[in-house]
Amino acid sequence: VQLQASGGGLVEAGGSLRLSCAASGRAFSRSAIAWFRQAPGKEREFVAAISWSDSSTYYADSVKGRFTISRDNAKNTVYLQLNSLKPEDTAVYYCTAGRPGYSGSYTTWGWYPYRGQGTQVTVSS
């Protein structure tokens, strides 16, 4: 599975962005997908994940109610809608994919063997 993240940019606080994670390969529909982010000088952190089996969603407490993850298997794409953005959301956002057919530690970076290159999100105050 190869992943391509896009949709990042510069936005004012309170604004919105939609990130996309486009995947190659027919196994995409059977892979859990997650977004992580890393801000300068900070550790990488889990943001959101969506399972492959029933599209269950999982969110970090810091983004719950503001971000929404969804998937379109027909387009091999996962989306992350970012609303009510705050300056502390500024980071490079990475999409990751799990092994096809597996469920597990969705919030753990190391669980995902496939990772995209990242897209920068900058929120100005």
Side-chain angles (χ1 to χ4, degrees), residues 59-97:
Y59 297 95
D61 288 342
S62 59
V63 307
K64 203 171 292 183
R66 299 189 298 121
F67 292 7
T68 302
I69 189 170
S70 61
R71 66 190 302 158
D72 185 339
N73 289 335
K75 296 182 178 180
N76 271 19
T77 302
V78 165
Y79 303 99
L80 185 66
Q81 179 68 41
L82 287 61
N83 296 330
S84 302
L85 282 161
K86 304 175 181 180
E88 51 264 42
D89 294 318
T90 295
V92 177
Y93 285 68
Y94 299 91
C95 66
T96 60

Side-chain angles (χ1 to χ4, degrees), residues 21-62:
C21 177
S24 63
R26 290 184 292 178
F28 171 82
S29 63
R30 298 181 63 244
S31 296
I33 305 293
W35 289 91
F36 291 79
R37 67 186 182 186
Q38 187 165 21
K42 295 187 177 181
E43 292 189 354
R44 186 185 305 112
E45 64 174 351
F46 168 77
V47 177
I50 187 165
S51 71
W52 66 270
S53 55
D54 59 1
S55 293
S56 294
T57 56
Y58 308 83
Y59 297 95
D61 288 342
S62 59

